[in-house]
Amino acid sequence: MRILVLGIGNPILGNDAAGILAIRELKRMFKRFNVNNVYFDESSDGGFRLAEKMLGYDKVIIIDTIKDNESTEEGTVRVIDLYELMKKNENKWLANPHDADLITAMKILSSAFKDEMPREVIIYGIKISSSFTFSEQLSDSVRNAIKKVVKMILEDLGVKN
Amino acid sequence: MKTIKIEPISRLEGEGQIIIILDDDGKVRDVFFEILELKGFERFCIGRPAEEMPRIVTRICGVCPWAHHMAAGKAVDAVFGRDPTPVAEKIRELAYCAHIIDSHSLHFYFLAAPDFLVSPEADKSQRNVIYLYKKHPEIVKEIVKHRHYVVKIESMIGGKSIHPVCCVPGGVSKRLTEDERKEIEEMAKELIKFSEKWLEIWEKDILSKYEDIIFSKDIYYLETYYMGLVSPKDNSLNFYDGDVRVVDQKGQEVFRFRAHEYLNYISERVEAWTYTKFPYLKPIGWKGLVDGPKSGIYRVGPLARLNVCDRISTEKAQLAYEKYIEAGGKPVHFSMFAHWARLIEMLYASERILELAQDEEITSSDVINYEGALTKFGVGVVEAPRGILFHHYETDDDGMITLANMVVPTTQNNAAICMDVKKSTEKLIINGQISEGILNRIEMAFRAYDPCLACSAHSLPGRMPLVVKVYNTRGELIKELRRE
């Protein structure tokens, strides 16, 4: 089984770097294990460009920052099954001026390239507040969340730290 | 008086919004298009080694990272006094043409095309690429297949498809192998056929059907100046390098300059109601948000590029360009022609990739020039998919950045977008009534510019709701429409 672990974010936009930093830590840790079916990549993209990266893998694990309307604190980790999310989403319109959103892109690619799409896509979302200032500094709560996500993914992949 | 706000909220909220102010009779009194930019990038760069800039700037924007990478690379060439080798220039241009197709194809096929191939008035559940897929699955599959080709070319040369790392002072970091060259050559042939097919679709299925929109002088029409790059020897279209040329409302050249002279020609107006500046032609002057020869407002992007150039150097794209001029005149002031221009540019980029892939020296190992001395000053310019882009750096004696300034396309189009959106709302909103179709026609005004709303931030789920807010004169929210 080919597994892609994908860190998403902007490495120079404060807490938005969380996914990128998590993937770099995982990649570093994985050098110790004799695992040859897990691939690591990072991206600052979304929509079609992100969905296209998933072609050819059986399972994809995404680490990204999220915003939601719930009263949870910054650094809270949510585990989301992307295909479950797609079932709930009605996808009635597209307004991103440059690209489709990820769910729309996944629906298109799933229809057109059914055999090449991963059977499972799990998102580990780290909750952050809005970040509009370029910086390489992260808040303590997000730093702690990165450690937590790394541990969770190691468990998900069945390797012991 | 009512105030209507249309807020496109991207992955992190608040990047841009349209504010429409209605008077008590429901007529449009004023319209503002506002972009809220990410803060502090220039400050973030200060004190960093200049050679890091091409890699850092790709993170400004997830939409056109290659444009920033190339402009930064060229500025850094100048900072270190190193002219890239001819082979390096060709490799850079080849990859950059792939990026133009990557960006234009995402915009046109997935966002603009459903407006036309479905209908601007269609229900929102149908006016999108998913519906397009249901109606024409083969077309969408072909789009995805050909997008895969350009992403592959970008990855081969850039190291990564999205955030390239290939430009280094004086050249590129690796040569092209013969196997890669052959693969690119074959993909380019397919890309040419695909681009031609889409121009046929435009001419047969879109142009004749939507003459009222595309050729309208009431909406989506401005008589501005235009700015873009042209090849110095023959004024042909050029994405990667050349002279900066400005033409007037009649298509006559009024200014021509090299990138490092940009501050003599571009000035920025600050308005109290927005953080975004309004660049204008310094020698003409600022006369407010109006078009015409006395106003220094200019446009950049596909429409502008085909207005400033005299010709296109590749055979098939030149023929397509001649048809385009025949239909729209020269210069073309119809904003919706930008979509047509994008299709012609994709054909040119595909042909240019083939030319470069067949160039005898493209696989040479002479890809970097190590000779040169620190000049401490550099301005790099390229045509980003959305228009001309300047990067300007200055350094100290150790090559550390002391000044970083970027003039980006959407900011340069800011005034024109405001004016086009205002024109469309004035024409379309009557007695304060706004339907879904009207809202989409207003969206089409700014979608033609493919505006870049600081998309570098990333938070799932990656969608962009539109919020229309209606306020009364006391600032109380009396109506809210939300589309998501």
Side-chain angles (χ1 to χ4, degrees):
Chain A
M1 182 160 88
R2 279 163 55 87
I3 301 171
L4 173 67
V5 190
L6 201 51
I8 311 287
N10 188 333
I12 57 169
L13 203 65
N15 283 334
D16 194 48
I20 302 281
L21 296 180
I23 205 75
R24 289 177 185 171
E25 177 63 8
L26 272 167
K27 201 173 174 182
R28 189 185 65 77
M29 293 177 87
F30 251 73
K31 285 181 182 162
R32 286 187 274 150
F33 306 115
N34 186 24
V35 179
N36 56 14
N37 67 327
V38 181
Y39 301 84
F40 298 93
D41 203 352
E42 56 183 72
S43 172
S44 300
D45 222 316
F48 270 98
R49 284 171 174 163
L50 180 57
E52 283 164 356
K53 273 186 182 287
M54 299 186 206
L55 290 168
Y57 292 96
D58 300 299
K59 177 176 178 174
V60 174
I61 295 172
I62 293 173
I63 314 167
D64 198 357
T65 52
I66 59 168
K67 285 190 72 201
D68 59 32
N69 298 325
E70 294 177 16
S71 57
T72 49
E73 290 179 0
E74 184 171 84
T76 302
V77 178
R78 284 181 66 185
V79 182
I80 302 160
D81 182 324
L82 184 60
Y83 289 130
E84 287 299 316
L85 199 66
M86 284 163 66
K87 283 182 199 164
K88 292 177 194 167
N89 190 285
E90 293 181 337
N91 250 314
K92 287 185 176 170
W93 66 285
L94 289 170
N96 180 328
H98 309 293
D99 196 349
D101 61 85
L102 178 61
I103 289 173
T104 302
M106 290 293 290
K107 283 188 176 178
I108 298 282
L109 292 187
S110 297
S111 309
F113 301 93
K114 201 177 173 185
D115 297 338
E116 292 177 58
M117 289 301 283
R119 289 191 298 274
E120 190 181 8
V121 181
I122 301 295
I123 299 160
Y124 287 79
I126 300 172
K127 182 165 175 172
I128 63 164
S129 306
S130 291
S131 175
F132 282 111
T133 304
F134 284 100
S135 149
E136 287 171 304
Q137 303 299 314
L138 275 72
S139 66
D140 289 343
S141 56
V142 173
R143 283 198 178 281
N144 288 334
I146 292 172
K147 289 179 194 161
K148 191 176 168 186
V149 164
V150 166
K151 202 175 161 197
M152 290 166 82
I153 291 175
L154 288 175
E155 283 174 12
D156 188 342
L157 294 172
V159 290
K160 285 186 179 173
N161 186 16
Chain B
M1 187 176 71
K2 287 179 186 172
T3 303
I4 299 172
K5 289 170 85 176
I6 303 177
E7 296 176 292
I9 305 170
S10 188
R11 293 168 71 99
L12 297 175
E13 84 275 15
E15 279 95 330
Q17 60 183 359
I18 294 172
I19 302 167
I20 304 163
I21 300 169
L22 301 185
D23 64 19
D24 292 337
D25 298 328
K27 283 185 186 164
V28 175
R29 183 166 135 175
D30 226 332
V31 177
F32 302 103
F33 174 73
E34 189 178 19
I35 310 160
L36 302 179
E37 295 167 322
L38 297 174
K39 293 176 289 189
F41 189 74
E42 278 87 351
R43 197 176 59 201
F44 181 85
C45 299
I46 303 295
R48 291 177 187 271
E51 65 271 23
E52 281 189 6
M53 293 303 288
R55 292 191 302 275
I56 295 173
V57 296
T58 62
R59 305 294 179 169
I60 298 174
C61 173
V63 175
C64 46
W66 272 91
H68 288 293
H69 184 65
M70 285 290 167
K74 291 173 73 179
V76 168
D77 290 339
V79 163
F80 289 98
R82 292 185 186 180
D83 291 330
T85 66
V87 181
E89 298 267 36
K90 287 174 186 172
I91 292 174
R92 285 182 182 183
E93 188 182 351
L94 194 160
Y96 197 57
C97 284
H99 177 64
I100 293 282
I101 302 172
D102 179 351
S103 180
H104 278 4
S105 64
L106 267 185
H107 177 77
F108 184 80
Y109 300 142
F110 292 138
L111 299 162
D115 278 338
F116 297 109
L117 292 177
V118 182
S119 163
E121 309 300 335
D123 185 83
K124 59 192 173 187
S125 62
Q126 298 183 348
R127 202 183 54 248
N128 60 47
V129 71
I130 293 211
Y131 186 77
L132 194 62
Y133 177 75
K134 284 177 189 160
K135 266 182 95 177
H136 309 286
E138 289 312 311
I139 288 183
V140 177
K141 279 186 186 178
E142 284 292 296
I143 293 168
V144 173
K145 186 176 113 185
H146 287 84
R147 277 193 42 70
H148 182 68
Y149 291 156
V150 287
V151 169
K152 193 160 190 193
I153 295 171
E154 289 173 301
S155 300
M156 274 181 191
I157 296 172
K160 300 173 181 174
S161 63
I162 310 297
H163 298 284
V165 292
C166 59
C167 282
V168 290
V172 290
S173 54
K174 76 176 193 60
R175 63 183 291 191
L176 205 62
T177 65
E178 177 57 20
D179 285 347
E180 288 171 332
R181 188 203 69 74
K182 279 183 190 161
E183 199 177 351
I184 292 172
E185 187 178 14
E186 291 312 307
M187 290 190 286
K189 287 174 186 168
E190 294 299 316
L191 287 167
I192 291 170
K193 282 187 234 162
F194 190 62
S195 304
E196 286 184 291
K197 194 169 156 187
W198 268 91
L199 274 162
E200 276 176 36
I201 292 174
W202 173 270
E203 286 165 23
K204 283 183 190 162
D205 300 334
I206 298 177
L207 197 57
S208 54
K209 201 170 164 191
Y210 294 107
E211 279 185 355
D212 61 324
I213 293 175
I214 295 165
F215 291 93
S216 169
K217 281 196 172 184
D218 291 334
I219 53 174
Y220 316 136
Y221 180 90
L222 296 171
E223 294 189 359
T224 62
Y225 290 90
Y226 298 93
M227 183 187 288
L229 281 182
V230 291
S231 295
K233 62 177 189 325
D234 61 0
N235 292 333
S236 62
L237 176 67
N238 198 319
F239 299 126
Y240 174 71
D241 199 22
D243 288 345
V244 183
R245 191 185 199 199
V246 179
V247 300
D248 65 13
Q249 294 73 11
K250 291 189 164 50
Q252 298 300 309
E253 178 179 308
V254 284
F255 306 114
R256 191 183 190 101
F257 58 95
R258 297 295 295 170
H260 67 271
E261 300 169 303
Y262 79 106
L263 287 173
N264 295 334
Y265 295 90
I266 300 173
S267 198
E268 291 181 322
R269 173 81 178 181
V270 177
E271 290 288 323
W273 53 271
T274 176
Y275 292 113
T276 310
K277 292 167 183 168
F278 291 92
Y280 62 94
L281 293 170
K282 202 173 181 177
I284 306 291
W286 176 261
K287 297 286 184 299
L289 291 172
V290 291
D291 57 356
K294 289 181 181 170
S295 167
I297 289 173
Y298 63 97
R299 288 195 271 182
V300 301
L303 189 75
R305 284 193 285 264
L306 295 199
N307 279 339
V308 300
C309 76
D310 290 344
R311 59 185 290 270
I312 296 179
S313 63
T314 58
E315 191 186 339
K316 293 174 193 291
Q318 171 65 21
L319 289 173
Y321 171 69
E322 285 166 14
K323 274 191 187 174
Y324 168 96
I325 294 298
E326 197 183 317
K330 182 82 188 282
V332 176
H333 296 302
F334 302 107
S335 304
M336 287 296 146
F337 265 56
H339 296 304
W340 192 352
R342 265 183 207 102
L343 293 172
I344 295 170
E345 288 191 335
M346 280 197 270
L347 178 56
Y348 165 66
S350 304
E351 288 184 288
R352 186 70 185 133
I353 290 172
L354 182 62
E355 274 182 1
L356 289 163
Q358 291 174 335
D359 189 288
E360 280 181 358
E361 63 174 8
I362 196 78
T363 53
S364 159
S365 60
D366 184 22
V367 294
I368 187 160
N369 165 29
Y370 293 102
E371 303 296 320
L374 184 71
T375 67
K376 302 195 290 184
F377 172 89
V379 178
V381 65
V382 291
E383 280 291 345
R386 288 151 196 85
I388 199 163
L389 168 70
F390 298 88
H391 275 231
H392 169 187
Y393 308 140
E394 293 181 19
T395 74
D396 62 16
D397 292 339
D398 297 321
M400 300 296 179
I401 296 288
T402 55
L403 180 148
N405 185 40
M406 289 150 221
V407 183
V408 302
T410 296
T411 309
Q412 293 176 87
N413 277 333
N414 190 18
I417 296 172
C418 286
M419 292 191 294
D420 247 342
V421 171
K422 185 177 181 184
K423 240 182 171 178
S424 60
T425 51
E426 280 173 344
K427 196 75 188 171
L428 296 166
I429 298 177
I430 298 160
N431 299 328
Q433 298 302 309
I434 307 171
S435 68
E436 186 65 28
I438 286 174
L439 206 59
N440 190 48
R441 290 231 183 177
I442 294 167
E443 261 188 84
M444 284 171 72
F446 73 85
R447 196 177 294 151
Y449 293 87
D450 192 8
C452 208
L453 306 174
C455 303
S456 53
H458 281 269
S459 285
L460 286 167
R463 50 184 37 252
M464 200 173 178
L466 268 187
V467 183
V468 182
K469 291 178 180 170
V470 183
Y471 294 91
N472 63 18
T473 46
R474 294 179 297 282
E476 295 161 344
L477 184 68
I478 54 171
K479 190 177 177 187
E480 181 171 326
L481 299 173
R482 193 173 181 87
R483 303 166 59 195
E484 52 189 334

